[in-house]
Amino acid sequence: MKILISADMEGATGVTWPADVLPGTAQWERCRHLFTSDVNAAIAGFFDGGADEVVVNEAHWSMRNLLLEKLDERAQMLTGRHKSLSMVEGVQHGNVDGIAFVGYHTGAGTEGVLAHTYLANSLTGVWVDGTRASEGYLNSLVVAEYGVPVVLVTGDDLTCEDALGYAPQAPKAAVKDYVSRYAAVCRPPARTAADIRAAAREGAALAERHEPARRGPFRLEMEFDAEHLAGAATVVPGVERSAERRVAYTSQNMYEAIRCFKAVTTVVSSAVEEQYG
């Protein structure tokens, strides 16, 4: 049994505001330890449940946040940016039996601690075939095309609620309760580690590849907080305006859809000015 952990940081234990997750800040340095603790708890739980191999894919910002020297020695870690499938890199090789979304968060335009979708701001909503999509929802559609089930989700309480829509069978572990985008009631790391480990152990029983999903085509729509960002997005072939601050495109499968989504967010982020957005 091989488990892939997609590890994001906004949904980690104790994380509540931007400095906690922005590389180079003192708070980020502190929260890297909490983030690594959450991931180690998931690793331990999967091995408790019978996993033979666990690979961690760094999925936050620079994708260089976890402390390798503190990682459970039974696991391996894929770190660094510019990966074909970004947050779920590795799922496409045909040897992953289950994937865990650790440290995830809710989507842009919704309630949740540090809620966003790929871009920290600027992007105010993403929809797939009319359904509002978080990163978890988007990634669940991608991994389904490779027959890989989501077997664990951790983050704040609203993230766990969001996951009921795309991975109802997967165990969830809430590490904090939402108060506002930058505030939460947080559980101590000893407690969250125990909860994550128990949920991962339970989730290991669900790790079994199934028939790949064939659901396309998919229509993705994106809304921005400024008109000029929608204009910038249309530089990407196939992306067209659907409203003043919205663009949309259609892809035959989620592999193509998520890669186009990455291209759009990259172009849009380069069009944001420091003061005026």
Side-chain angles (χ1 to χ4, degrees):
M1 181 200 305
K2 180 176 180 178
I3 302 293
L4 178 65
I5 296 176
S6 174
D8 206 356
M9 195 172 183
E10 285 89 357
T13 294
V15 167
T16 60
W17 73 310
D20 293 341
V21 296
L22 293 175
T25 69
Q27 278 298 107
W28 170 74
E29 287 287 359
R30 170 178 169 267
C31 289
R32 295 176 76 189
H33 293 269
L34 297 172
F35 182 29
T36 305
S37 173
D38 283 6
V39 170
N40 277 339
I43 294 168
F46 285 124
F47 278 114
D48 290 345
D52 301 298
E53 184 179 358
V54 177
V55 176
V56 181
N57 178 33
E58 268 255 28
H60 174 68
W61 204 274
S62 62
M63 300 184 176
R64 299 179 184 277
N65 308 276
L66 289 169
L67 298 169
L68 180 62
E69 60 273 27
K70 300 292 184 180
L71 198 71
D72 187 313
E73 62 184 14
R74 295 171 292 180
Q76 297 183 85
M77 182 170 70
L78 170 58
T79 185
R81 296 179 63 191
H82 310 304
K83 296 171 288 195
S84 179
L85 284 179
S86 189
M87 298 182 76
V88 293
E89 177 67 24
V91 76
Q92 70 268 42
H93 300 313
N95 60 354
V96 174
D97 300 296
I99 188 166
F101 294 165
V102 174
Y104 270 48
H105 50 82
T106 54
T110 68
E111 293 184 325
V113 178
L114 293 172
H116 70 283
T117 305
Y118 272 66
L119 299 180
N121 48 41
S122 302
L123 188 57
T124 58
V126 179
W127 293 264
V128 179
D129 295 333
T131 299
R132 187 182 282 272
S134 62
E135 291 174 11
Y137 183 71
L138 290 172
N139 289 333
S140 73
L141 293 175
V142 175
V143 303
E145 291 189 342
Y146 297 95
V148 178
V150 178
V151 298
L152 172 69
V153 178
T154 80
D156 70 10
D157 57 326
L158 298 187
T159 299
C160 293
E161 289 183 20
D162 177 57
L164 291 173
Y166 63 79
Q169 77 290 347
K172 286 84 175 171
V175 302
K176 55 200 172 192
D177 294 329
Y178 167 82
V179 173
S180 76
R181 193 178 188 214
Y182 303 125
V185 178
C186 297
R187 299 152 177 70
R191 179 176 168 188
T192 59
D195 290 345
I196 293 171
R197 184 169 184 169
R201 182 171 60 248
E202 180 184 350
L206 303 175
E208 183 177 358
R209 286 193 300 276
H210 46 69
E211 283 296 314
R214 298 285 183 258
R215 289 182 47 192
F218 296 93
R219 177 179 169 82
L220 273 73
E221 189 167 23
M222 307 167 68
E223 180 182 76
F224 304 98
D225 64 1
E227 177 278 333
H228 78 283
L229 299 181
T234 60
V235 171
V236 179
V239 177
E240 299 179 346
R241 282 186 188 261
S242 57
E244 186 176 40
R245 293 183 291 106
R246 290 192 180 200
V247 298
Y249 63 92
T250 299
S251 297
Q252 293 305 304
N253 53 57
M254 277 306 297
Y255 173 80
E256 293 178 0
I258 203 67
R259 287 165 64 82
C260 184
F261 184 78
K262 287 172 55 184
V264 170
T265 55
T266 298
V267 168
V268 166
S269 63
S270 69
V272 176
E273 300 296 336
E274 183 176 358
Q275 298 298 328
Y276 283 81

